[in-house]
Amino acid sequence: MNRLPPETPMRPHTHGDPAIEIRGLRKIYDGIPVVDGIDLSISGGEFFGLLGPNGAGKTTALRMLLGLTPIDSGSVRVLGLPIEVHGREIRERLGVVPQFDTLDIDFTVEENLLTYASYFGLSGSGLKQRIDDLLDLANLESRRHATIDTLSGGMKRRLTLARALINQPDLVILDEPTTGLDPQARHHLWRQLRRLRERGVTLVLTTHYMEEAQELCDRVAIIDAGRIIACDSPQAMIVAHVEPWVISLNAASARQFIADPATLPARMLEIADTWLIYTRNPAEVRAELESAGLAHTLRAANLEDVFLKLTGHDLRE
Ligand SMILES: Nc1ncnc2c1ncn2[C@@H]1O[C@H](COP(=O)(O)OP(=O)(O)O)[C@@H](O)[C@H]1O
Ligand SMILES: [Mg+2]
């Protein structure tokens, strides 16, 4: 079950070489820079995450990478080639999972794959085998002849990923592949993505789920208002920017007992109705909260905390 097509190539020669090189990338809409000077190198074989709130410029950046949105300034090289000149050639070696499903609702699951394959000039018995393997990978064997409107959201996303793999891409770009999926469907997709990474495929994903980026990505860039505000491995980013422990509690009840949070032996942020207390020494803070009878929870710091620290606002705003 869920094997990759056997002919899916290992690409050891691309490992380590830059799969994507972006320099000074900018896009301006209505006088507002929505991508505002991005520099980024992504290595072959890397699983890279672009993390940011809605409107941060993620989709615009990806569309410029794909040659679908014209670049205002800066340069983009994908698989070693400049996108402005070689867009078509590059897209033949890419797989794309767009933010919104673009499956053809007039066709069945299998017909969607066949139609997409025809854009790459694929046909014959090799293609038949590949479609069998991709349906197996996507766990959609039993839905081969189903129409698109009978599929769940998770099935549609899996089919879109299967479709993106039809040309055995070196690089797969996924724009919010798991937004709106339930946890089970999300985990299923994660498994498929990890498998691709094991095969040496370069993956670039956007998400606004911190735990997704932390779980999957070798490196992430946090992007806010068109700029990269931090870029590193998730763990390195957490260690570099925030205290390791976070205690959260209801702001209103906290205020009844603690008039001035500056007296706490820790850093405090108030977000919505919650106090987030950041500390290297949770026992000390918890002792104080417990003596005041305040209910609270303790967790390890994550990427959202990094984002909050660096921007002062919530990632999901
Ligand atoms: N074609 C367009 N014309 C005008 N504004 C756009 C266009 N596409 C995106 N924008 C604006 O650019 C900003 C970034 O959008 P987008 O790249 O879709 O962000 P994200 O994918 O991070 O949610 C948003 O403010 C959006 O409204
Ligand atoms: Mg988007």
Side-chain angles (χ1 to χ4, degrees), residues 148-163:
I148 300 308
D149 59 355
T150 64
L151 303 182
S152 70
M155 288 173 184
K156 285 184 197 164
R157 293 267 86 185
R158 267 143 51 200
L159 178 57
T160 300
L161 177 60
R163 191 185 68 171

Side-chain angles (χ1 to χ4, degrees), residues 247-315:
I247 294 165
S248 59
L249 69 164
N250 176 272
S253 53
R255 230 176 264 113
Q256 288 175 10
F257 293 90
I258 303 168
D260 181 6
T263 62
L264 283 169
R267 178 170 71 89
M268 197 280 279
L269 263 185
E270 183 166 341
I271 297 290
D273 297 324
T274 304
W275 276 17
L276 298 172
I277 299 172
Y278 293 90
T279 180
R280 296 189 182 284
N281 187 356
E284 192 183 13
V285 179
R286 295 185 79 189
E288 281 206 27
L289 298 176
E290 269 152 27
S291 70
L294 286 172
H296 58 273
T297 58
L298 174 69
R299 63 169 171 80
N302 60 32
L303 281 177
E304 181 161 32
D305 299 307
V306 174
F307 190 86
L308 283 169
K309 168 99 181 277
L310 297 180
T311 69
H313 66 89
D314 198 316
L315 191 50

Side-chain angles (χ1 to χ4, degrees), residues 115-161:
T115 310
Y116 206 71
S118 70
Y119 301 147
F120 295 98
L122 303 170
S123 61
S125 61
L127 175 61
K128 191 187 168 306
Q129 181 62 49
R130 196 173 303 166
I131 286 180
D132 288 350
D133 289 334
L134 287 171
L135 288 174
D136 184 31
L137 168 94
N139 221 342
L140 288 170
E141 251 312 319
S142 63
R143 299 295 182 128
R144 181 186 286 263
H145 302 295
T147 53
I148 300 308
D149 59 355
T150 64
L151 303 182
S152 70
M155 288 173 184
K156 285 184 197 164
R157 293 267 86 185
R158 267 143 51 200
L159 178 57
T160 300
L161 177 60

